Amino acid sequence: MKDEMKRPPNLKEEREEIVGHRSPARRSDVVQELSKVALEAAEKSAELVLLGGVYQPASRALAGPVTLDMIAQVHAAKTFLSADGLSIAEGVTTQTHAIAVTDRHMIRHTRGEVILMADHTKIGLVGDYVIAEAARI
């Protein structure tokens, strides 16, 4: 599982996936992950909100109490998540506890779609911490 986390993301595909799901009428985006994808998506947004928190190097994301407090103020129309594993039986999982907690909190604060950004290499893998049941994504 750890080897999968080290694989560099395909930024072009990831950017196209996120931007392709955005509504042209969207005026703001809330971003947890620090990446070129977030910054490029921001170019198509009127406002980019970066969540604070503790930087998690393995996932290049922010997590912790500050992040959770900020997410509590959001009612997202759509959420994009990544994961380390996807299994019908075990659900969507990750190797990092703080990221699992943060992602679960974001799902609770999403009134619309929750979209998993994962390629075929994640199918059948199971991380240590559950983010959500497969049916929720």
Side-chain angles (χ1 to χ4, degrees):
M1 184 58 109
K2 293 285 184 187
D3 290 336
E4 290 296 323
M5 290 175 44
K6 293 178 185 172
R7 188 175 57 83
N10 183 327
L11 294 178
K12 182 175 185 240
E13 288 177 10
E14 191 175 346
R15 177 181 61 249
E16 290 171 359
E17 182 77 16
I18 291 172
V19 174
H21 280 85
R22 291 190 77 257
S23 165
R26 296 285 314 154
R27 293 183 10 170
S28 66
D29 288 311
V30 178
V31 178
Q32 171 195 1
E33 183 181 334
L34 299 172
S35 70
K36 287 183 180 181
V37 174
L39 295 175
E40 289 184 31
E43 292 176 8
K44 300 191 183 308
S45 176
E47 178 180 45
L48 175 67
V49 178
L50 295 172
L51 300 176
V54 178
Y55 181 65
Q56 305 290 316
S59 58
R60 295 188 327 260
L62 299 166
V66 173
T67 310
L68 299 179
D69 287 347
M70 291 187 74
I71 290 172
Q73 300 173 44
V74 173
H75 296 288
K78 197 175 289 187
T79 293
F80 295 88
L81 300 175
S82 62
D84 296 321
L86 173 62
S87 160
I88 297 298
E90 302 299 327
V92 180
T93 58
T94 185
Q95 288 297 99
T96 309
H97 179 262
I99 296 300
V101 170
T102 301
D103 286 352
R104 284 194 301 267
H105 199 60
M106 191 66 221
I107 290 169
R108 281 194 300 273
H109 286 269
T110 301
R111 64 182 185 274
E113 288 181 283
V114 176
I115 299 167
L116 179 65
M117 307 249 323
D119 63 22
H120 69 281
T121 65
K122 305 300 182 186
I123 296 173
L125 296 179
V126 176
D128 293 337
Y129 303 98
V130 175
I131 295 171
E133 294 179 3
R136 175 61 179 103
I137 305 300

